């Protein structure tokens, strides 16, 4: 069997397993039939079924457990994070794409935030922002930077947007890592965050968009300079 036919056979088994899951009403934690059983059910080889399992594992919807077999899981977000993290290793342009995604989302959050944002959420963002200045290292500073923006996105109340943003955490954090070892950079980031928060407190759309655009643009320029002049 050539590679294209083999891939087609694997895809077909993956499709049949998905149908089986749906028809049997299986959920997270349920055990799938064994390789032998599935091979018999789908009139396929065990090798093809094994490859199909690997595909499901890559998607984050199944994992192998000793003495149990293939169990359905809900790890698709982790799988997507791993995928995006790998992509960032091989493409500098991906940094620009991610920052472009952030501009499209975060700069357009104002209407949702104006309706839903609470004083408690604002206070939490302020606390996280303040902590950036006392972070022990650049990695911790970038983690806090991500937390600030994730709180902002979560406050908009759109679950799909929050999940997507969470999937991008590894690459967004790596983008945020640039320059975090320098205190002037930390001070600039914290000041820009403060401007964004002040605009939200005042319910000032124009100021919010202006300061968010300025903040995200600055981050992109820093990444571009570092990548062209550094390693």
């Amino acid at each position: 069997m050539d590679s294209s036919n083999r891939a087609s056979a694997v895809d077909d088994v993956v499709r049949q397993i998905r149908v089986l899951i749906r028809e049997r009403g299986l959920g997270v934690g349920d055990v799938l039939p064994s390789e032998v059983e599935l091979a018999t059910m789908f009139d396929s080889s065990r090798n093809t079924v094994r490859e199909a399992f690997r595909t499901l594992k890559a998607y984050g919807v199944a994992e192998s457990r000793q003495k149990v077999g293939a169990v359905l899981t809900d790890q698709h977000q982790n799988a997507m994070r791993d995928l995006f993290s790998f992509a960032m290793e091989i493409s500098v342009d991906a940094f620009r794409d991610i920052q472009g995604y952030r501009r499209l989302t975060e700069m357009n959050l104002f209407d949702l935030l104006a309706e839903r944002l609470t004083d408690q959420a604002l206070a939490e963002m302020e606390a996280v922002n303040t902590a950036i200045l006392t972070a022990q290292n650049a990695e911790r500073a970038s983690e806090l930077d991500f937390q600030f923006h994730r709180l902002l996105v979560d406050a908009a109340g759109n679950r799909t947007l929050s999940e997507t943003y969470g999937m991008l955490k590894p690459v967004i954090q790596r983008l945020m890592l640039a320059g975090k070892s320098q205190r002037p950079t930390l001070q600039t980031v914290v000041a820009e965050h403060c401007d964004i928060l002040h605009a939200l407190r005042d319910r000032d759309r124009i100021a919010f968009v202006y300061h968010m655009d300025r903040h995200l643009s600055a981050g992109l320029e820093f990444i571009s300079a570092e990548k062209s002049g550094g390693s």
Side-chain angles (χ1 to χ4, degrees):
M1 179 183 297
D2 63 34
S3 59
S4 60
N5 288 337
R6 181 175 181 78
S8 178
V10 171
D11 289 343
D12 188 56
V13 170
V14 169
R15 180 188 61 78
Q16 292 183 84
I17 291 175
R18 291 176 60 188
V19 171
L20 177 71
I21 291 170
R22 184 170 62 250
E23 290 180 344
R24 294 191 178 182
L26 301 178
V28 174
D30 289 333
V31 181
L32 289 171
S34 68
E35 287 182 6
V36 174
E37 292 173 316
L38 289 175
T40 301
M41 291 170 61
F42 303 148
D43 191 24
S44 182
S45 70
R46 288 187 62 180
N47 283 339
T48 300
V49 171
R50 190 173 296 116
E51 289 294 327
F53 274 144
R54 288 175 183 162
T55 300
L56 294 174
K57 288 171 67 177
Y59 288 158
V61 298
E63 65 180 19
S64 297
R65 295 181 185 173
Q66 276 192 332
K67 300 181 181 179
V68 176
V71 178
L72 294 179
T73 61
D74 186 17
Q75 298 296 318
H76 63 285
Q77 290 191 32
N78 291 339
M80 288 298 292
R81 282 196 290 266
D82 290 343
L83 174 62
F84 280 116
S85 184
F86 172 75
M88 297 307 288
E89 295 285 353
I90 61 176
S91 173
V92 174
D93 287 341
F95 277 108
R96 299 186 184 93
D97 291 341
I98 292 300
Q99 202 72 337
Y101 162 81
R102 294 182 64 204
R103 289 171 63 85
L104 287 171
T105 54
E106 295 183 61
M107 286 177 59
N108 289 286
L109 289 176
F110 183 83
D111 287 339
L112 290 173
L113 291 171
E115 294 175 4
R116 300 170 180 268
L117 193 61
T118 63
D119 288 339
Q120 180 179 347
L122 277 168
E124 190 173 357
M125 281 184 261
E126 287 174 341
V128 169
N129 189 40
T130 300
I132 291 174
L133 287 175
T134 56
Q136 303 92 327
N137 50 49
E139 288 73 19
R140 177 58 180 162
S142 64
E143 169 72 25
L144 290 167
D145 193 357
F146 179 83
Q147 284 184 29
F148 175 87
H149 286 270
R150 178 65 187 267
L151 287 169
L152 194 67
V153 171
D154 288 348
N158 186 304
R159 188 176 67 179
T160 299
L161 179 58
S162 291
E163 289 181 353
T164 304
Y165 203 86
M167 289 177 188
L168 293 170
K169 179 178 179 179
V171 289
I172 291 177
Q173 255 190 246
R174 287 179 58 193
L175 189 154
M176 291 173 168
L177 186 61
K180 287 294 193 297
S181 60
Q182 303 171 25
R183 186 166 182 80
T185 301
L186 296 183
Q187 293 171 333
T188 298
V189 168
V190 170
E192 290 172 353
H193 286 173
C194 285
D195 288 337
I196 292 167
L197 292 175
H198 288 156
L200 286 173
R201 283 195 180 279
D202 295 340
R203 297 299 193 268
D204 187 334
R205 177 203 296 273
I206 294 176
F208 174 81
V209 173
Y210 170 77
H211 289 300
M212 183 63 78
D213 177 52
R214 184 166 170 262
H215 179 54
L216 295 178
S217 295
L220 184 57
E221 289 170 7
F222 193 95
I223 286 290
S224 298
E226 182 180 83
K227 291 297 177 182
S228 61
S231 56

